[in-house]
């Protein structure tokens, strides 16, 4: 199995029942080393019928990440409150 790193998504098109998602990566501009540019790396092609399931899975993953971050922030806030109380 191959692993592909992407910094983002470029164009998304639908052709003949397939969705084509251009994956992009940030690289240094060869003409100007101090400048970053985005270039396509590969295209993810999947049947249109699979797009809904993939989108739902991505959305669920984002919700889980946000929930975990919120819980972590609440725990840290509680620990800070407990530390403040012990210093009284």
């Amino acid at each position: 199995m191959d692993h592909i790193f992407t910094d983002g998504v470029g164009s998304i098109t639908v052709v003949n029942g397939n969705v084509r998602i251009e994956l992009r990566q940030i690289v240094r501009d060869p003409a100007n080393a101090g400048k970053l540019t985005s270039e396509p790396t590969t295209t993810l092609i999947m049947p249109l019928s699979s797009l809904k399931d993939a989108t739902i899975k991505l959305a669920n993953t984002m919700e889980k990440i946000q929930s975990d971050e919120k819980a972590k922030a609440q725990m840290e806030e509680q620990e800070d409150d407990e530390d403040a109380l012990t210093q009284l």
Side-chain angles (χ1 to χ4, degrees):
M1 173 175 32
D2 292 332
H3 296 266
I4 300 168
F5 176 80
T6 185
D7 286 308
V9 173
S11 64
I12 300 175
T13 56
V14 177
V15 179
N16 296 327
N18 289 312
V19 63
R20 298 168 187 265
I21 304 170
E22 178 189 71
L23 303 180
R24 299 186 68 83
Q25 188 173 20
I26 296 173
V27 296
R28 295 221 177 268
D29 186 341
N32 182 354
K35 182 180 177 189
L36 297 176
T37 186
S38 174
E39 67 180 28
T41 55
T42 193
T43 301
L44 173 65
I45 304 171
M46 69 173 67
L48 192 55
S49 60
S50 299
L51 181 61
K52 182 178 180 180
D53 183 52
T55 303
I56 289 170
K57 286 180 179 181
L58 288 168
N60 289 342
T61 300
M62 281 303 304
E63 288 177 5
K64 172 86 168 87
I65 290 168
Q66 290 171 339
S67 175
D68 290 350
E69 288 175 348
K70 184 177 179 181
K72 182 180 176 185
Q74 287 174 342
M75 287 179 60
E76 289 172 354
E77 184 178 317
Q78 184 178 5
E79 288 173 0
D80 289 346
D81 290 347
E82 289 172 1
D83 288 344
L85 286 174
T86 59
Q87 294 177 4
L88 291 177

